[in-house]
Amino acid sequence: MNTLWYKNPAKDWNEALPVGNGRIGGMVFGRTGHEIIQLNEESIWSGPYRDRNNRSCRANLPKIRELLKSGHPQEAQELGLECMSGCPSQETVYQTAGELHIDYYTEESRGLEGPLPDRKGAFDSCTAYRRELDLETGLATTTFCAETKAPSTAYLSRNTHGSSISYTREVFVSAPGDVMVIHVSASTPKSIYLRAYLDRGDLSGKSFALQDDTIVMQSSSGIPFCAMLMASVPRGKVCTRGNFLIVEAADEVTLYLDIETAYRNGGYRRSGGNTGRSVKSLLGWCTDRALKRLCFAVGGSYENQKRAHIEDFSSYYKRISLSLTGKGKDEAAKNIPTDELLASRAESPELSELYWNFGRYLLLSCSREPGTLPATLQGLWNKDFLPPWGSKYTININTEMNYWPASMCSMGELEMPLFKLLKRTYKHGKKTARVMYGADGYVAHHNLDIWGDSAPQDMWIPGTYWVLGAAWLATHVREHYEYTLDKKFLKKHFKLMRRACDFFADYLVPSADGKHLVVSPSVSPENTYRLPSGETGCFSAGTDMDNRILEHLFRATIQSAVDLGKSEASTDLVRWQDILSKIEGPVITKEGTIREWPFDCEETEPGHRHLSQLYGLFPGHSINLHRTPDLAKAAEATIEKRLANGGGHTGWSQAWIMNFRASLHDKDNAFKSLVSLFKKSTLPNLFDNHPPFQIDGNFGALTAMTRMIVQSEIVDDGVVIDLFPSLPDSWRTGELKGVAIKGNLRMNLSWEDGRLKSALLFADPGTDYIEKAGLYFQGKYYEAPLTDGKLEIKNILPTTM
């Protein structure tokens, strides 16, 4: 299933349908009389870069560490609040571009009664209403029929009283053209009437008509930008009055929208928004740039632009496909509106398939060229000036989760904006490391903004003072490389791993018993402990999540250095190996769970949404069902304890639990988590609900669903594949084509009624790939080489699943 569809217009933003090209985004409400398309442009943020590094930190860091060592966490936290918080505490935030309003009317419903958008008689009686989002083409379409009275014009007076006109409205955001396109057509000539305007509720902005077919909205609040709307009307009247764009008696209308920001100006961007250039000059630059882009768009035909958009969009979308039919294809499911399908058939394979496809659609729509920025906490789509958590890059799991599925779903280039952000962070993170911690390398905390601001965000003891953000992001370099084996990519980005290691080489200190190296101070993200004395705290010297991220980072960096030809006897590798040997491994508590903090304590919130101590299970590689069965058993006990106390209550948390279950080959509970996600944490438009909307849950669930079917890992000189590790009974028949396997391989799989039907592992011709494959299937291990870049897996496996 590739289509979301509904019988009614969106009542609010959580029912609207998202469109985007990576740079420009829109939420389409599909209303008949007064349409709203909420707008975003990825680089509209609240202001320029500021150096917020706290210059009191370096001198007081030894005092904070000593307080922790002597058993005074609350005093350490107080000093940390004063000396480690950013100055000021807040980064910039991602903001809405405003809204495009389109007031539709008819010849006979001219005149207003009451305030907009109420217009008496305009589309009061509509039938055959349908709004949909085609995930394969990236088209949002609204269709309906409207009953009209005979108008006064000579041409239309020949229509009979009560005639019906069919309207079709299509919206997409073109990557080839880099503009939003709104096309309106009707079954009867000269029957399209509309009034459009742009609005942001911005007291520092202004709006005006630029020419007879073009209106403009400018804003100097935050990063200056210009939104521009231009109409193309082959037959009909178009004009502007005030800041309104008006079309009357048209056969069809195409509206083109562009949003240009000062961030696209090289000097402004390189200076962090502190170029010294006047706002007026920057707004003029944005306006000229938008006008040129729209004039070029208007010069082409709508059909050609639509065709180019679909060809481009579907070329990504069709790389991989999933078909789930369960015990048999339910053709009736296609005739059930998406909101009703979600409410009534949470366990159906049809909903699972649609949701999986929607996750891929979202990533393709919010993280690609012509965009240059990664997906925020809300992807590309944000309706607020001050959104929840600033709609920034929350890098203590959420941003990382956004990109877990990119490579495995054969869309690895969609991860490139993340690496661009990390390169910007490197610039500022070097200064933060030096100024705040007296360390080499670079560092980031638990949030980033558009500028890669690496100083601590907020003044929140459980989360702000965590220094592992850049380290976690840097592991994505290695994970991406393992899917592609692209040495050019690895060489270009290796510095991001190496310099993260350099920071911790300076920052780590001996543990209390002198046996290990630990991060101090640190926190287990957003969680709080209670000591036997009753004292609560967040600061500690080392946590299990610290250890697992560092283990992941140092192993990835060491192996990457070897892959790039560096000698294992080199100074860097010897130093990194020594540090790695002093990172404490996972510890099993007396309760049989994975220990979170390096001492005996209780959690103040046993059902906490974060399960940070299970990083080693996923996305790390420290805990594995085959290699470390005792740790895997303890990880399962950790999950059960969390859930027994109300854990997994947010969408992204449930998605992370799904990935844990997939790693543990627990098909029943993995699917149970998915169903819970559908029932408790999914909005009518299939957005993940934290609440409020956060896109990470969509991407985390996409990852888990893929990993329930197949997982891969590079071990020594070969790739190890887990085939159907957590395939639920509801998916007993299906087909997965084009899924990426580590080692620059791909796989096609099909299964029927619980039996393997066909399986092919293959490499793209002319590329380097890992030639040795090992497969876990039904608890047994099989090994075989690829021949001429192919391996018919069915030939070495039993067919019974």
Side-chain angles (χ1 to χ4, degrees):
M1 294 178 65
N2 292 290
T3 305
L4 280 65
W5 75 277
Y6 304 83
K7 291 181 178 179
N8 298 294
K11 293 192 294 290
D12 56 37
W13 194 88
N14 291 326
E15 295 185 1
L17 296 174
V19 292
N21 71 346
R23 186 177 75 85
I24 298 172
M27 293 291 289
V28 184
F29 282 62
R31 294 178 176 176
T32 55
H34 187 85
E35 172 64 304
I36 297 173
I37 303 177
Q38 186 267 317
L39 304 172
N40 285 105
E41 203 278 352
E42 62 169 358
S43 59
I44 296 177
W45 289 64
S46 60
Y49 171 76
R50 296 162 296 165
D51 181 351
R52 301 184 305 107
N53 292 301
N54 191 323
R55 283 155 173 80
S56 297
C57 181
R58 184 172 178 176
N60 287 280
L61 184 60
K63 301 175 187 177
I64 295 170
R65 287 171 168 168
E66 185 57 36
L67 285 167
L68 285 174
K69 190 175 181 179
S70 60
H72 298 91
Q74 293 187 353
E75 288 89 337
Q77 289 167 184
E78 183 176 34
L79 189 56
L81 174 73
E82 297 165 352
C83 300
M84 297 179 71
S85 299
C87 304
S89 66
Q90 300 297 307
E91 297 172 338
T92 62
V93 304
Y94 182 47
Q95 296 185 323
T96 181
E99 295 175 337
L100 168 61
H101 294 257
I102 308 175
D103 183 29
Y104 291 99
Y105 56 100
T106 60
E107 170 66 20
E108 64 272 20
S109 65
R110 286 177 178 276
L112 298 178
E113 179 177 318
L116 283 172
D118 298 321
R119 177 188 289 277
K120 186 176 181 180
F123 306 113
D124 281 349
S125 178
C126 294
T127 60
Y129 179 90
R130 178 185 173 106
R131 66 182 174 103
E132 66 174 44
L133 177 63
D134 187 322
L135 304 178
E136 185 174 331
T137 64
L139 287 175
T141 305
T142 303
T143 57
F144 60 93
C145 294
E147 299 294 331
T148 64
K149 297 179 181 179
S152 59
T153 62
Y155 179 87
L156 290 180
S157 63
R158 294 195 295 271
N159 292 325
T160 59
H161 178 79
S163 64
S164 179
I165 301 176
S166 298
Y167 291 90
T168 300
R169 301 170 184 168
E170 295 176 316
V171 182
F172 62 88
V173 189
S174 167
D178 200 10
V179 293
M180 178 181 287
V181 183
I182 303 109
H183 183 72
V184 184
S185 60
S187 60
T188 301
K190 300 185 179 181
S191 57
I192 299 174
Y193 292 76
L194 65 85
R195 175 187 296 108
Y197 63 98
L198 297 159
D199 182 55
R200 194 177 187 234
D202 184 351
L203 298 179
S204 67
K206 64 177 181 177
S207 56
F208 54 92
L210 186 66
Q211 51 196 34
D212 287 345
D213 60 359
T214 306
I215 57 174
V216 174
M217 177 178 69
Q218 296 176 337
S219 174
S220 57
S221 173
I223 294 178
F225 76 90
C226 159
M228 185 178 295
L229 184 71
M230 183 179 290
S232 175
V233 183
R235 288 177 297 277
K237 177 184 177 182
V238 58
C239 67
T240 55
R241 300 186 189 112
N243 61 352
F244 293 100
L245 177 63
I246 298 155
V247 175
E248 293 185 333
D251 297 349
E252 63 175 317
V253 178
T254 307
L255 302 175
Y256 296 94
L257 181 133
D258 186 28
I259 305 171
E260 296 291 341
T261 80
Y263 182 79
R264 304 298 167 192
N265 180 284
Y268 183 90
R269 182 174 63 254
R270 287 189 294 271
S271 68
N274 296 296
T275 182
R277 190 170 174 178
S278 71
V279 171
K280 182 178 180 181
S281 172
L282 290 168
L283 288 174
W285 183 89
C286 294
T287 303
D288 289 344
R289 185 177 169 95
L291 183 60
K292 290 176 182 178
R293 194 183 301 280
L294 291 185
C295 287
F296 184 81
V298 169
S301 74
Y302 170 71
E303 289 303 325
N304 285 342
Q305 291 162 340
K306 179 180 175 181
R307 185 181 305 111
H309 161 73
I310 291 174
E311 288 176 357
D312 171 77
F313 195 91
S314 62
S315 68
Y316 289 85
Y317 188 85
K318 290 180 179 179
R319 290 180 187 176
I320 181 173
S321 64
L322 174 66
S323 174
L324 297 173
T325 55
K327 297 180 180 180
K329 196 73 173 178
D330 184 0
E331 295 296 337
K334 291 184 178 180
N335 299 319
I336 301 174
T338 300
D339 50 346
E340 296 179 19
L341 187 71
L342 178 65
S344 64
R345 302 198 182 192
E347 299 185 10
S348 70
E350 290 79 17
L351 180 59
S352 294
E353 178 186 318
L354 180 63
Y355 189 83
W356 186 86
N357 283 327
F358 183 60
R360 294 191 302 118
Y361 169 87
L362 290 176
L363 190 58
L364 176 54
S365 299
C366 74
S367 184
R368 60 162 298 189
E369 292 183 348
T372 60
L373 297 170
T376 72
L377 207 58
Q378 294 177 302
L380 184 59
W381 303 278
N382 161 42
K383 63 182 175 60
D384 299 313
F385 281 100
L386 292 173
W389 303 284
S391 192
K392 296 189 291 294
Y393 307 109
T394 305
I395 57 173
N396 65 5
I397 185 172
N398 312 89
T399 300
E400 290 88 350
M401 184 179 284
N402 285 354
Y403 287 94
W404 287 349
S407 290
M408 71 176 65
C409 288
S410 299
M411 299 188 295
E413 65 267 55
L414 304 188
E415 200 169 10
M416 291 303 110
L418 181 67
F419 300 127
K420 290 180 180 179
L421 175 65
L422 189 55
K423 289 173 74 174
R424 286 195 299 279
T425 302
Y426 173 75
K427 172 185 173 183
H428 299 303
K430 287 191 299 180
K431 185 172 185 178
T432 300
R434 183 179 69 255
V435 170
M436 289 188 61
Y437 304 114
D440 194 13
Y442 77 114
V443 66
H445 297 83
H446 86 303
N447 269 263
L448 295 173
D449 66 2
I450 185 174
W451 307 109
D453 183 346
S454 54
Q457 158 72 28
D458 295 326
M459 293 186 290
W460 187 40
I461 301 297
T464 294
Y465 312 102
W466 184 74
V467 296
L468 277 294
W472 189 346
L473 288 175
T475 66
H476 279 239
V477 173
R478 180 68 195 181
E479 296 295 324
H480 181 90
Y481 168 75
E482 290 189 353
Y483 276 101
T484 65
L485 300 188
D486 183 347
K487 288 270 180 74
K488 186 177 179 181
F489 165 85
L490 185 62
K491 185 177 181 180
K492 180 179 179 181
H493 295 87
F494 177 70
K495 177 175 70 174
L496 298 175
M497 291 188 288
R498 176 175 61 84
R499 297 294 281 158
C501 289
D502 287 343
F503 171 78
F504 288 101
D506 284 350
Y507 189 77
L508 294 172
V509 296
S511 60
D513 59 11
K515 295 180 180 179
H516 306 287
L517 291 176
V518 297
V519 178
S520 179
S522 188
V523 298
S524 189
E526 304 183 21
N527 209 352
T528 302
Y529 59 80
R530 181 180 290 108
L531 296 171
S533 65
E535 185 177 10
T536 62
C538 302
F539 274 23
S540 69
T543 71
D544 192 75
M545 189 183 213
D546 297 345
N547 296 336
R548 301 291 71 76
I549 291 176
L550 292 177
E551 185 178 61
H552 194 178
L553 172 67
F554 277 88
R555 283 180 176 170
T557 307
I558 292 167
Q559 186 58 55
S560 296
V562 172
D563 290 341
L564 291 173
K566 187 176 281 288
S567 169
E568 293 189 33
S570 69
T571 303
D572 280 345
L573 264 70
V574 170
R575 180 178 61 157
W576 296 335
Q577 287 283 13
D578 180 61
I579 292 171
L580 181 59
S581 70
K582 296 175 181 176
I583 302 299
E584 187 176 17
V587 175
I588 300 175
T589 69
K590 59 186 178 183
E591 292 182 305
T593 61
I594 300 295
R595 191 182 70 182
E596 185 166 2
W597 290 278
F599 40 70
D600 290 333
C601 62
E602 297 178 351
E603 295 176 270
T604 60
E605 189 182 343
H608 200 271
R609 59 195 173 277
H610 283 259
L611 289 94
S612 302
Q613 66 270 47
L614 295 189
Y615 179 100
L617 179 61
F618 188 82
H621 306 282
S622 309
I623 303 174
N624 181 277
L625 188 64
H626 306 297
R627 296 193 302 271
T628 60
D630 290 343
L631 290 176
K633 183 178 179 181
E636 183 178 5
T638 305
I639 298 168
E640 295 303 329
K641 180 181 177 181
R642 273 286 200 272
L643 294 178
N645 288 279
H649 50 275
T650 67
W652 67 263
S653 180
Q654 192 66 260
W656 200 6
I657 290 170
M658 285 172 59
N659 278 283
F660 294 149
R661 299 294 199 187
S663 295
L664 295 171
H665 293 199
D666 186 350
K667 66 176 186 178
D668 292 336
N669 280 315
F671 187 65
K672 183 179 178 181
S673 288
L674 178 62
V675 172
S676 178
L677 187 81
F678 289 156
K679 290 183 176 181
K680 300 177 182 179
S681 300
T682 303
L683 295 164
N685 61 3
L686 298 191
F687 271 168
D688 171 70
N689 195 18
H690 180 281
F693 160 57
Q694 282 187 197
I695 207 166
D696 41 24
N698 290 101
F699 297 141
L702 169 60
T703 306
M705 295 170 76
T706 307
R707 297 180 66 248
M708 288 160 71
I709 300 171
V710 62
Q711 299 172 27
S712 62
E713 185 178 20
I714 292 178
V715 178
D716 298 326
D717 61 343
V719 59
V720 175
I721 302 167
D722 263 339
L723 200 57
F724 305 121
S726 305
L727 191 73
D729 293 338
S730 178
W731 302 354
R732 284 182 60 80
T733 297
E735 182 179 69
L736 177 61
K737 287 186 175 181
V739 66
I741 300 296
K742 287 187 173 183
N744 197 26
L745 298 167
R746 290 190 290 160
M747 182 178 280
N748 293 339
L749 289 168
S750 67
W751 60 99
E752 185 173 357
D753 196 25
R755 296 175 67 85
L756 180 64
K757 191 175 179 181
S758 66
L760 175 66
L761 184 66
F762 62 97
D764 289 332
T767 62
D768 294 329
Y769 59 90
I770 287 182
E771 299 181 7
K772 179 182 173 184
L775 296 107
Y776 280 104
F777 181 74
Q778 293 293 290
K780 295 183 179 181
Y781 184 72
Y782 306 83
E783 195 169 283
L786 277 74
T787 303
D788 296 327
K790 291 184 179 181
L791 174 61
E792 287 282 357
I793 297 173
K794 194 175 86 168
N795 295 336
I796 64 169
L797 297 180
T799 58
T800 302
M801 290 168 56

